Amino acid sequence: MDAKLVNPFVEAFETVMPQIGFAPPKRLKVSVQHKNAVSKGVSVIVGFTKQIRGNVVYNMDENTAKFIASTMMMGMPVESFDAMAQSAISEMSNMLTANAATNLAGLGLEVDISTPSLSIGENFQVKITDSQYLTVDMDLGGHVVELDIAVEQGQG
């Protein structure tokens, strides 16, 4: 996995999250995984095409998702992960992925992104690549968001 293709996603998280009301996130750990991401409870997968091919998964537990949704909705309490909270998490993934795509474009790479697909449930597997991918755990005010990044440079 080429670090120059991973960094735009981490940089997007570090840039966008403070813009929408969070303390600056901290990178916790980076690890190499194989083929499937295991859902922590709420997973949003977004695909990439053109010169970058692959997927990114924003993976978190339900409490983290509710915390993020509440913060995005100006502190409004989020008791359940309902349609409003789901919409907030999907919108967050749109903002993060669009920023990452802009960062990739800054490297001279043309990319298109798919509509985010949100899944709810714990411990199911999401196949995001046929090989290895990188997981970057980000601390967001005591809550962990896992970035599962499986992208590679392809032909445009």
Side-chain angles (χ1 to χ4, degrees):
M1 173 81 42
D2 189 342
K4 82 171 187 173
L5 300 180
V6 171
N7 288 336
F9 295 92
V10 175
E11 290 164 5
F13 197 87
E14 292 171 338
T15 300
V16 171
M17 297 312 281
Q19 291 174 355
I20 57 176
F22 296 92
K26 296 177 184 70
R27 192 177 321 191
L28 295 175
K29 69 176 184 174
V30 177
S31 58
V32 176
Q33 306 293 327
H34 196 68
K35 291 189 182 181
N36 299 339
V38 179
S39 176
K40 295 178 171 297
V42 176
S43 302
V44 183
I45 186 168
V46 184
F48 285 80
T49 60
K50 291 208 174 168
Q51 289 181 299
I52 297 296
R53 298 182 191 277
N55 298 291
V56 62
V57 178
Y58 303 99
N59 196 357
M60 66 205 82
D61 65 31
E62 188 174 304
N63 285 333
T64 297
K66 290 190 294 189
F67 166 74
I68 291 170
S70 174
T71 302
M72 290 178 69
M73 295 186 290
M74 308 303 194
M76 184 175 99
V78 175
E79 303 299 327
S80 66
F81 193 60
D82 59 13
M84 180 86 76
Q86 292 171 29
S87 177
I89 296 300
S90 293
E91 183 55 31
M92 176 202 70
S93 68
N94 270 332
M95 293 186 300
L96 291 170
T97 309
N99 190 280
T102 299
N103 294 343
L104 290 163
L107 298 173
L109 299 167
E110 187 178 351
V111 297
D112 275 344
I113 58 177
S114 71
T115 302
S117 177
L118 184 137
S119 298
I120 301 168
E122 291 181 37
N123 296 321
F124 67 85
Q125 295 188 17
V126 179
K127 181 176 179 183
I128 62 172
T129 183
D130 285 328
S131 58
Q132 293 181 329
Y133 66 92
L134 215 54
T135 293
V136 182
D137 286 345
M138 301 295 292
D139 181 321
L140 192 63
H143 296 266
V144 177
V145 177
E146 180 182 285
L147 308 179
D148 298 313
I149 305 162
V151 295
E152 61 188 14
Q153 196 164 344
Q155 275 52 50

